[in-house]
Amino acid sequence: PPPWTNFARRYPSVAKTPKLEAAAFLVASKQSVVAALAAKTPEIFHGASRPRQDSESGLESRPDLAVRLVVTALADAPDYGSSPTFANTFLSTLISDLSTDALREVSECLAELRCGSVLLAPRDIGPEPLRILRAHAAWVAIQ
C-alpha cells in the first residue's frame, strides 16, 4: 500500500488521503492562514497594489476567498487527471463573477500559498499534503 495509507492506519486522526488532509488542515487553521496571507499580500485597488488597509482578513476578504477556493478545489473539485475539462469548468464557475482587481488579489494570495512561507512542512503540515495543497493553489491560480 502507499505510504500515506500506512500512515493513516497508524494515526487515525489524519485523513485517509493527503488531499483531504490538506483540506482539513486549511479548514482547521483557516483564521491564521488568512491572517498571514493578509499580512503578506498587497491589496489591489483600481489596478494598483497598495498595503492592505486595516489588515483586512475577515470573512469577505480576498485572502479568505483564496483559502476557500483552495479548500473547494481540494475537497469538492473532480479529479483533474480523470476529467480535466469538467474540473476546469467547475473552478471557472466559482470565480466567474469576480472583478479584475479581485482576481489579481486572489492570484497574489494563491501565489503566496504556493511559493511563500505562509505554510511550511513539517512545521505546519506534512510534506505530502503540503505538496498537494501547493499544486491545487497553482491550479486554481491559472484558472
Side-chain angles (χ1 to χ4, degrees):
W4 187 266
T5 305
N6 289 335
F7 182 72
R9 281 186 196 144
R10 212 170 31 232
Y11 300 100
S13 63
V14 300
K16 298 291 183 209
T17 66
K19 185 177 176 182
L20 290 177
E21 181 67 17
F25 169 79
L26 277 180
V27 169
S29 59
K30 181 179 169 202
Q31 202 170 22
S32 62
V33 171
V34 168
L37 284 175
K40 289 185 175 264
T41 57
E43 180 180 26
I44 309 294
F45 187 71
H46 295 298
S49 297
R50 68 178 188 186
R52 198 169 294 281
Q53 303 296 315
D54 300 323
S55 66
E56 175 192 311
S57 63
L59 180 61
E60 296 300 317
S61 71
R62 305 228 172 98
D64 180 73
L65 176 60
V67 170
R68 285 186 285 133
L69 285 171
V70 173
V71 168
T72 301
L74 285 163
D76 294 334
D79 183 33
Y80 182 81
S82 62
S83 58
T85 303
F86 181 64
N88 286 340
T89 303
F90 178 83
L91 283 180
S92 296
T93 57
L94 293 175
I95 59 175
S96 62
D97 293 337
L98 296 177
S99 68
T100 305
D101 286 349
L103 284 173
R104 278 191 54 210
E105 196 170 329
V106 167
S107 180
E108 292 277 338
C109 292
L110 291 169
E112 183 62 35
L113 266 180
R114 187 187 55 160
C115 301
S117 61
V118 170
L119 300 175
L120 296 173
R123 180 191 76 183
D124 301 316
I125 186 173
E128 195 170 351
L130 181 60
R131 181 184 55 79
I132 290 171
L133 188 152
R134 286 183 171 164
H136 278 74
W139 176 44
V140 173
I142 63 171
Q143 296 305 310

